[in-house]
């Protein structure tokens, strides 16, 4: 898996045909969903089909989003899949406390990822992010959070988004990916939303359709101008130690160098 995954593609666990297509879509990570995408009478089948898939390592990393930990299906999901040889990550929805992470962590061979989907979860973001060494990332579940907060548009999510980004960084975790853009036809809106998310500090995005993947990747890869600026910074840093000003007026210090290094690491995906 790339050091900087940018695309996570969801596929319903009760549709092995769609999971197979997702595995060849070019997504960095495929997320097999046992929760929202699967009807109650299909939960058992989805779990069994996913267990079959993960008997051996798939061609790309596969995460599984299990059912909500407080519900009737999560325990079986975890017991069946947490040690599967082909599992790269276990995504835990509707997490609200660090205790939920510490309860699951000893049972899972793969890394855990917490989805924060309520006001209480956002308030607990840093505590969740530091709950256990096996927690590898946190992210927002914005559809449920919108409902919980009663907000109509993105303005009402601004603080929650920044809170989760800051909590992840403070905990030493990777920057969170953005939550899904629900309209698979609105690619212009997706691109604009990704640009805003990148400006906030997100890195990459979850998707619900393969056509969204190239839009997300383009939005999160550095532009040619950004690559050129990063190369200029690193060249300057290599020739002179300490803080300095470039001919174009930009100030270069250790933080600017770190940002340039990350930009060029992402650029290598091109």
């Amino acid at each position: 898996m790339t050091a900087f995954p940018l695309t996570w593609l969801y596929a319903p666990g009760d549709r092995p045909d769609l999971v197979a297509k997702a595995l060849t879509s070019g997504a960095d990570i495929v997320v097999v969903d046992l929760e929202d995408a699967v009807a109650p009478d299909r939960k058992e089948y989805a779990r069994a089909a996913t267990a079959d898939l993960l008997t051996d390592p798939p061609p790309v990393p596969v995460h599984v989003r299990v059912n909500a930990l407080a519900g009737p299906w999560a325990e079986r999901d975890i017991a069946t899949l947490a040690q599967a040889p082909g599992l790269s990550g276990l995504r835990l929805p509707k997490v609200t406390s660090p205790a939920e992470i510490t309860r699951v962590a000893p049972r899972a061979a793969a890394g855990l990822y917490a989805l924060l989907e309520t006001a209480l979860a956002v308030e607990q973001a840093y505590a969740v992010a530091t709950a256990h060494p096996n927690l590898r990332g946190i992210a927002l579940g914005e559809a449920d959070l919108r409902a919980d907060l009663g907000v109509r548009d993105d303005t009402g999510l601004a603080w929650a988004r920044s809170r989760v980004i800051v909590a992840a960084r403070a905990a030493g975790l990777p920057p969170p990916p953005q939550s899904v853009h629900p309209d698979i036809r609105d690619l212009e809106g997706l691109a604009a939303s990704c640009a805003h998310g990148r400006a906030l500090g997100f890195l990459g995005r979850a998707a619900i359709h393969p056509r969204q993947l190239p839009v997300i990747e383009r939005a999160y890869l550095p532009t040619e101008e950004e690559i050129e600026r990063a190369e200029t910074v690193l060249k300057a840093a290599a020739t002179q130690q300490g803080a300095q000003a470039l001919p174009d007026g930009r100030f270069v210090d250790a933080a600017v160098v770190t940002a340039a290094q990350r930009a060029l690491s992402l650029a290598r995906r091109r």
Side-chain angles (χ1 to χ4, degrees):
M1 182 179 68
T2 175
F4 294 101
L6 296 181
T7 51
W8 289 255
L9 179 60
Y10 276 89
D14 64 337
R15 292 288 306 275
D17 57 325
L18 295 183
V19 173
K21 290 180 179 179
L23 292 172
T24 61
S25 66
D28 292 327
I29 296 172
V30 170
V31 183
V32 178
D33 189 16
L34 304 184
E35 193 204 16
D36 290 342
V38 179
D41 63 352
R42 299 276 288 175
K43 298 288 188 183
E44 298 289 340
Y45 172 72
R47 183 187 306 118
T50 303
D52 287 343
L53 170 72
L54 298 176
T55 300
D56 297 302
V60 298
V62 169
H63 291 193
V64 173
R65 180 168 74 173
V66 299
N67 284 283
L69 299 181
W73 299 291
E75 176 59 32
R76 287 285 303 278
D77 294 343
I78 294 167
T80 302
L81 301 170
Q83 296 290 328
L87 183 68
S88 295
L90 203 61
R91 304 184 80 79
L92 307 178
K94 299 177 175 61
V95 170
T96 58
S97 74
E100 293 169 303
I101 304 300
T102 57
R103 188 165 65 248
V104 175
R107 304 171 61 187
L112 303 180
Y113 296 80
L115 301 178
L116 311 179
E117 305 181 61
T118 64
L120 177 59
V122 174
E123 285 293 315
Q124 294 279 350
Y126 180 71
V128 170
T130 55
H132 195 277
N134 201 32
L135 186 77
R136 307 294 170 78
I138 59 174
L140 284 176
E142 292 188 358
D144 285 87
L145 184 59
R146 285 176 189 274
D148 191 41
L149 296 176
V151 300
R152 296 184 177 183
D153 57 35
D154 282 3
T155 303
L157 297 178
W159 183 85
R161 288 170 172 169
S162 292
R163 168 72 175 128
V164 169
I165 291 165
V166 170
R169 177 59 186 152
L173 297 175
Q178 280 185 275
S179 187
V180 299
H181 186 72
D183 187 342
I184 64 173
R185 298 165 298 179
D186 179 25
L187 299 184
E188 289 186 6
L190 171 62
S193 177
C194 287
H196 179 65
R198 184 183 177 200
L200 286 176
F202 287 110
L203 183 63
R205 190 164 200 165
I208 53 175
H209 194 282
R211 72 176 58 152
Q212 297 177 315
L213 300 178
V215 178
I216 294 168
E217 186 158 2
R218 280 196 302 271
Y220 273 96
L221 285 176
T223 64
E224 294 294 339
E225 181 182 356
E226 289 170 333
I227 293 170
E228 183 178 346
R229 288 164 65 89
E231 290 173 340
T232 300
V233 166
L234 294 186
K235 286 178 183 178
T239 58
Q240 180 177 325
Q241 299 295 316
Q244 59 181 298
L246 298 180
D248 63 6
R250 282 182 292 156
F251 185 77
V252 176
D253 61 9
V256 174
V257 170
T258 298
Q261 290 170 334
R262 189 172 92 164
L264 292 183
S265 294
L266 280 167
R268 295 189 188 104
R269 291 173 54 106
R270 286 179 175 271

